[in-house]
Amino acid sequence: VLTATVFLPLAGALFIAAFLRGSQARLFAAAIAIADLALAAAVFASYDATVGGFQLADLHAGWIRLLGGDFIRYSLAVDGLSAPLVLLAGLLGVAAIFSSWSIDHDHKGYFAWLLILQTAVMGVFAAQDFILFFIFWELELVPMFFLISGWGSGRKEYSAMKFVSFTFGGSAFMLVGILALFFSPGVGTFDMMRLAQMDLSSLVLPSQVVFALFAIAFLVKLPVWPVHTWLPDAHTDAPTAVSVMLAGVLLKMGGYGLIRINVSMFPDVAQSASLFLAVLAAISILYGAMVTMRQTDLKRLVAFSSISHMGYVLLGISSVGAVGAASAVGLTGAAMQMFSHGAITGLLFVMVGLVYDKTHTRHIPDLGGLASRMPFVTVLFVVAGLASLGLPTTSGFVAELLVFLGAFPVHGFLTTLGVIGVLLTAGYILWTLQRTLFGPTLPRWAELRDASPVEAVAPVLLVTAIMVVGLYPAIITDVFGAAMESLVTQRFVGLLP
Amino acid sequence: MTPADLYLLAPEISMVGLAVLVVVLDLTVGSKRLLGAVAVIGLALPAALTIMLWGEVSGWWSLLDRMPGEVAGHSIPGVYGTFSVDHFALFFKLMFTGIAALVILASTGAAGRIQRLKGEYYALILTSATGMMLLATATELITLYIALELSALPMVALVALTGEARSTEAGIKLLLLGALSSAVLLYGMVLTFGFTGTTHLAEIATAVSSMATEGGEPFGGPLMLVAVVLIVAGFGFKIAVVPFQMWVPDVYEGAPTPITAYLSVASKAAGFAVLLRVFHTAFGSMEMDWSLLFAGIAAASMTIGNLVAVAQSNIKRMLGYSTIAHAGYILVGLAAVASRTGDDLGIGANTLLFYLVGYAFTNLATFFAVIAITNKTGNEAISGFAGMGRRAPLLALVLAVGLISLTGIPPTVGFMAKLFIFSAAVKADLAWLALVGLVNSVVSAYYYLRVVRSMYLAPPESEERITAPPALKFAVGLTALGVLALGIWPQALLSVAELAGLALRP
């Protein structure tokens, strides 16, 4: 199932590139994305959280035999951490296709690249072999480069290059880390499942250095202050769907990598680095939120709010400084925040894209009073905004609550700073909603029409996901929670803070 | 010369025969189209003979009378031990045959004066390939030197062949600097001979190992150090690494593009073949000393090649600097020697061989696509590639695949090659060198992707479609397919490279 889930979009993309054109490509891509969502849902549903561990493995043991050592495997599997993220990628894949209905040139290339991107991100979450993981990680660069520079706006070429340079630069460090692990005496494997059980304290390089090599790659991707500068540019200049995928799924690759590799494989280093991570998290939260306040471009605004929100993910991860229940809660919160931010920010970008399609501006002072012309868009936009500020009954609330519960016992002061970030978030979200949607109807927007049924697909899908998880979080938290609890009991108990 | 020697040299002999046949046909028949076909199809013979010898070495069959006790997988010496037929040499011979075939195939559609000079043009390519094949197989310094000259001189003629001003200038540069580097190399060889009293690599190894153990100094003393440095300088010119790279940009720009491709791939591979052979066989006991020397050269070459490439506006110059950078990446494999890894698996050499083949496919695909496009536009500036995504969708796609592979992004062979060679570096306790290489890859992404960007995003200069002659199209398609196939399934080539690397070990 997993192989099909990961590679269906790629197959679809090749088919589009070879045979289809124009709006055919669009319809076919939508069909593929929906089928892939169904597969991802099947993966999620058939993952049994009560059993835990890795399931649904697809393994081909002998792909490449590296240098007379161990094999590089083709190995896919999901555990409680990756199963929901695969589902998230499927969900946003559909949202991305439907929010690109208005793409104006070269449908064929656009939808093909979008589907390839989907394969790459799903592969990152499902791969359990380090080299395969790295291949998917790098593979994602190519479609992103083409999508941003080909279908973006503004300084699109600069932004695309900046995105590629940052990610590629980060992954250079990661590759050295992977190789240093592999060639350490007594390790000799790329199998991530086995590595997460091993004692990796004596390596060819000090384990702190290897930890740092991985952390650099993932923190850039997350991103945190001060390596966040690629994000606003990439978001602002990317087409809507790419922003959706970028904020929704690609940033999660960073958080996923931190938990899957840094925390699981180097628990002791993670523990001693937790204060450092928490400081970065607090700075990102506050800095992100404050910069968000100052934005006048809707897309840039959402982009900076992402930096602030991804700070919560890091804050949750930093709860590994404690031992026991708190860190399991914090890690679950971090994972939840990844899922929920994916859906919420995906939705926000869809809404911004819709507003832009209608009004052809993203400049906040130019907007205002859209509510009377576009009630449907307004309702969904407000839902997205409220979810983003963490209102109860939305998934955002659950995630942030768990993060604070987990992190407070360890980093009390920094967590308090993080809570202030929630206040700022409430401030800028409500202010933005008020300035764009409400107020007197401006005469120039008198002719606007509400969203069409096709345009409504993506937001309705995402709102449903947000509300379902918000009202009954257990469907996701149970899965994340079980995985994080077993991680903590297996790797952290016995370590002193 | 015994009949056995003739059999062992059959690939080279058939290659020279083919060159003569092409010239004779050119004089008698005169159909230029025929010549290309004869040359390409004729190359099947040396290839087949090489494969036959591979079977001989592997022990699949035995046409030679073997010494009692001789085991399969060993090298078979020939002509008083001046050369040896082993998996390593045969690996390169097959590679040179393939490259020559592809370059000739791509040249059949080349524009300009080459059109009228086909006979000698093909014959020179074949002669040069013969020299390279001998180079890979030679195990004695004088044979090796002659083979080097045999491969280099036809190359000078090829570069200057079109008779255009910049092409002639490039030829003169290559000739003069090549002669200088040959002299330096020869001097190093003479010094080595002076210390060891022999020109046979295996005997040099015996002499050197006693020298290395006597004195505790690097290279067993300053004089041997001078000899080694001179030899490195001589070969460094051939493989074009910093600081012996000065000739590259001008020659690459001035030469006819198929010859630039040939130079960048075959000539470079031949240089690495002989470096591997000489340093692993003759100076094997001083591994620890020279590996650091090569690590330094590699780091400098990667860094300078990439940084200067960023500033180029002519695509051939850019690719010229890119080959300097890639020579640096490849040298990483030479620096990652067995004694640094702590076990006897010589992984550096294996990954180097894999990289060479992967690089050959990648660079040929890139250059062939450039040939096809510039043939029509006549514009070698990077800006001249604007809008090619629309004017020539398939060629642009191949060029994009080639450039992505040069950057080292999956699913191309460039990624696998870099993965392997940097693995070898980390294993050999050279993690810093791997990091330098990877950061360099990031820099290189900038100028490679700039071309891709201009092809797909910049508006075209005209809407005229660009097509390539069928032979060139075939060559482009074949190399691009190789880039992707080896990127997804590298194991087969890796196994062969491992076998070839085995032959270098004492």
Side-chain angles (χ1 to χ4, degrees), chain B residues 212 217-220 285-294:
Chain B
E217 294 176 72
F219 297 103
S285 53
M286 303 188 297
E287 265 184 358
M288 289 303 272
D289 299 329
W290 52 257
S291 88
L292 276 183
L293 179 67
F294 284 125

Side-chain angles (χ1 to χ4, degrees), chain A residues 13 30 45 53 67 79 134 151 162 174 206 238 299 328 333 375 407 412 439 449-450:
Chain A
L67 318 174
D79 70 346
F134 187 78
W151 288 268
K162 196 167 175 182
M174 171 160 54
K299 246 182 160 178
R449 303 249 292 279
D450 212 350

Side-chain angles (χ1 to χ4, degrees), chain A residues 159-340:
Chain A
S159 300
M161 197 54 96
K162 196 167 175 182
F163 168 81
V164 169
S165 305
F166 269 79
T167 303
F168 203 35
S171 59
F173 290 93
M174 171 160 54
L175 185 57
V176 176
I178 293 175
L179 294 175
L181 269 183
F182 180 77
F183 288 114
S184 294
V187 180
T189 179
F190 289 118
D191 186 344
M192 291 164 79
M193 296 186 245
R194 265 173 58 207
L195 283 168
Q197 309 292 333
M198 284 182 178
D199 173 27
L200 299 174
S201 49
S202 61
L203 302 172
V204 284
L205 299 171
S207 58
Q208 284 86 348
V209 174
V210 180
F211 180 90
L213 288 169
F214 283 111
I216 290 171
F218 299 138
L219 291 177
V220 167
K221 195 81 193 169
L222 195 58
V224 298
W225 178 90
V227 282
H228 64 276
T229 57
W230 60 272
L231 184 77
D233 286 328
H235 267 314
T236 312
D237 299 335
T240 301
V242 176
S243 290
V244 171
M245 287 304 274
L246 177 56
V249 201
L250 267 68
L251 302 188
K252 276 71 210 172
M253 287 158 54
Y256 173 78
L258 281 173
I259 297 181
R260 165 76 73 225
I261 291 158
N262 286 63
V263 172
S264 307
M265 294 182 190
F266 307 95
D268 47 339
V269 190
Q271 201 160 55
S272 42
S274 91
L275 180 64
F276 175 70
L277 295 180
V279 169
L280 280 184
I283 296 177
S284 292
I285 293 171
L286 291 179
Y287 172 84
M290 286 192 276
V291 176
T292 310
M293 292 261 190
R294 298 282 309 136
Q295 301 305 314
T296 54
D297 180 304
L298 269 180
K299 246 182 160 178
R300 238 182 144 74
L301 185 140
V302 182
F304 273 105
S305 82
S306 280
I307 297 170
S308 170
H309 280 114
M310 294 315 281
Y312 294 119
V313 174
L314 191 59
L315 188 62
I317 291 172
S318 76
S319 70
V320 294
V323 167
S327 53
V329 171
L331 285 172
T332 309
M336 261 318 272
Q337 175 71 1
M338 292 202 281
F339 186 91
S340 118

Side-chain angles (χ1 to χ4, degrees), chain B residues 29 44 52 100 127 137 180 297 299 407 443:
Chain B
V29 182
M52 198 166 155
T127 321
T137 205
L180 185 68
I297 297 179
T407 317
V443 175

Side-chain angles (χ1 to χ4, degrees), chain A residues 63-67 131 134-135 138-139 142 145-146 149-150 157 161 165 168-169 172 175-176 179-180 183, chain B residues 347 351 409-411 415-416 419-420 422-423 426-427 435 438 441-442 446 452-453 456-457 488-491 494:
Chain A
W63 180 25
I64 306 165
R65 190 155 180 272
L66 188 61
L67 318 174
I131 297 296
F134 187 78
I135 288 176
E138 296 268 279
L139 193 60
V142 184
F145 176 78
F146 279 104
S149 55
E157 295 175 3
M161 197 54 96
S165 305
F168 203 35
L175 185 57
V176 176
L179 294 175
F183 288 114
Chain B
I347 58 169
T351 57
I409 294 177
F415 169 76
M416 287 294 169
L419 173 68
F420 295 154
F422 292 138
S423 302
V426 173
K427 181 157 195 208
L435 197 58
L438 286 162
S441 303
V442 180
Y446 178 77
V452 177
R453 193 173 65 184
Y456 282 97
L457 307 171
I488 294 166
W489 195 259
Q491 184 56 53
L494 195 61

